[in-house]
Amino acid sequence: MSASKPPLARFEHVSLSFETPNGVLKVLDDVSYEISEGEFVSIIGPSGCGKTTMMNMLAGFQKPTAGSVTFDGAPILGPGPERGVIFQDYGVFPWLTVKDNIAFGLKLKANHVSIKEHNDICAHYLALMGLSDFANSYPKHLSGGMRQRLAIARAYAVKPKFLLMDEPFGALDAQTRLNMQNLLLQVLGAEGKTVMLITHSVDEAIYLSSRIIVVTARPARIKRIIDVAFPYPRQEAIQELAEFGEIRKIVRELVMSEYQAQQAQGSVRFSE
Ligand SMILES: Nc1ncnc2c1ncn2[C@@H]1O[C@H](COP(=O)(O)OP(=O)(O)O)[C@@H](O)[C@H]1O
Ligand SMILES: [Mg+2]
């Protein structure tokens, strides 16, 4: 990565308020940061602080009230295939089979993908996610964890330059979660993507990220940005290192203090 390259994603003095029947809810307050190509950035902060809203801006689903969000140097006007989103609540289509869910994004890019390539890509990601035997099943016949793996496969299949992942492993049991984290590292190693991951797991953030952005209770502001210097490819064993433990302690304390701030602040606060 050359130092002269502009950042892939840039938040500049971004604020956002929602107009609600109860008044104005301020969700983001003067957020500025950049994500360079090849970086893995995790966002961690209390529930309801504005993390998903922030990701929605980069995905192209939400415009800032003030400030700007740019991708590859241009303002974001809407969603695009170079930004693959894995939603918090699976985001699979119940009316499509497992295989057709994976193929969905590829069909949107139909001009670029031949039928053979298309089938190969589907088979590859079905196998990678352990879903080959369920290719022709519908999501309602899958467990929660399998549906989540399907959502991940669908996003990976399009090979987006930028992966936006909103608590993608939250509903998985500990062992499957670790498998998915390792698989993600493997896919990144092979395909060299840039990632923004929202997570509640401090360990997950440290294990996967090159940087962790801790955000405050709502309205979300940047509290601290922490570099995680472990080189890639990463092995599970780094989780046992003293240095890992030190970062864990720092991040946990930052996140805990924001949960406490959120509790002290009481329920949702609106302004006129
Ligand atoms: N479209 C919307 N209209 C009004 N309020 C919203 C909307 N989307 C989110 N919110 C509110 O904004 C706050 C931040 O939401 P969100 O970004 O989903 O938080 P997080 O992902 O950090 O848990 C919450 O209080 C939520 O209820
Ligand atoms: Mg969220």
Side-chain angles (χ1 to χ4, degrees):
M1 192 170 61
S2 100
S4 60
K5 252 189 180 173
L8 197 52
R10 177 182 265 164
F11 285 76
E12 273 179 303
H13 301 294
V14 173
S15 295
L16 181 125
S17 297
F18 287 116
E19 308 268 351
T20 78
N22 298 316
V24 174
L25 182 67
K26 187 157 193 167
V27 174
L28 297 179
D29 183 18
D30 195 21
V31 170
S32 297
Y33 62 91
E34 296 174 348
I35 302 177
S36 299
E37 201 161 338
E39 272 198 292
F40 192 126
V41 173
S42 285
I43 310 285
I44 195 161
S47 292
C49 74
K51 303 178 297 296
T52 295
T53 305
M54 199 193 281
M55 183 169 282
N56 280 341
M57 292 179 168
L58 205 45
F61 302 129
Q62 182 76 56
K63 293 227 156 47
T65 314
S68 75
V69 186
T70 53
F71 184 78
D72 241 350
I76 294 169
L77 302 174
E82 72 291 349
R83 284 163 285 136
V85 187
I86 298 174
F87 295 98
Q88 196 165 356
D89 47 5
Y90 310 134
V92 297
F93 299 130
W95 60 90
L96 294 179
T97 63
V98 165
K99 179 169 185 271
D100 288 341
N101 260 285
I102 296 178
F104 179 80
L106 295 173
K107 283 186 182 145
L108 297 179
K109 292 214 300 187
N111 299 339
H112 311 293
V113 183
S114 72
I115 291 182
K116 159 132 188 29
E117 247 183 293
H118 182 109
N119 287 331
D120 288 351
I121 293 170
C122 286
H124 172 70
Y125 287 100
L126 278 168
L128 200 61
M129 293 295 156
L131 294 169
S132 302
D133 291 344
F134 298 89
N136 300 313
S137 305
Y138 286 88
K140 68 176 175 206
H141 299 303
L142 305 179
S143 69
M146 288 165 81
R147 274 202 293 277
Q148 203 155 13
R149 265 143 57 201
L150 174 57
I152 294 166
R154 199 179 65 187
Y156 287 1
V158 186
K159 293 194 193 290
K161 185 172 180 176
F162 203 122
L163 265 180
L164 298 160
M165 310 177 85
D166 195 353
E167 300 185 35
F169 309 135
L172 303 176
D173 64 85
Q175 190 54 50
T176 309
R177 186 171 189 147
L178 186 58
N179 289 344
M180 287 294 122
Q181 291 167 354
N182 289 334
L183 204 55
L184 173 59
L185 287 171
Q186 212 177 301
V187 171
L188 299 183
E191 300 177 10
K193 297 183 195 309
T194 309
V195 184
M196 181 199 230
L197 170 82
I198 297 174
T199 182
H200 279 292
S201 163
V202 173
D203 281 40
E204 178 169 280
I206 305 169
Y207 182 39
L208 299 177
S209 318
S210 51
R211 275 196 302 154
I212 299 173
I213 300 182
V214 181
V215 292
T216 66
R218 191 182 53 243
R221 280 172 280 108
I222 306 282
K223 184 170 177 79
R224 186 87 65 82
I225 299 183
I226 293 147
D227 287 316
V228 183
F230 300 115
Y232 295 92
R234 289 189 180 167
Q235 312 297 331
E236 280 171 37
I238 67 166
Q239 303 193 24
E240 312 305 324
L241 298 176
E243 204 183 336
F244 194 101
E246 283 157 23
I247 304 175
R248 179 194 285 131
K249 185 164 185 292
I250 293 167
V251 177
R252 271 194 190 160
E253 277 169 10
L254 291 166
V255 174
M256 277 311 297
S257 75
E258 286 311 312
Y259 265 100
Q260 280 157 3
Q262 176 173 280
Q263 273 181 343
Q265 166 182 306
S267 57
V268 180
R269 282 200 311 194
F270 298 96
S271 56
E272 291 309 313

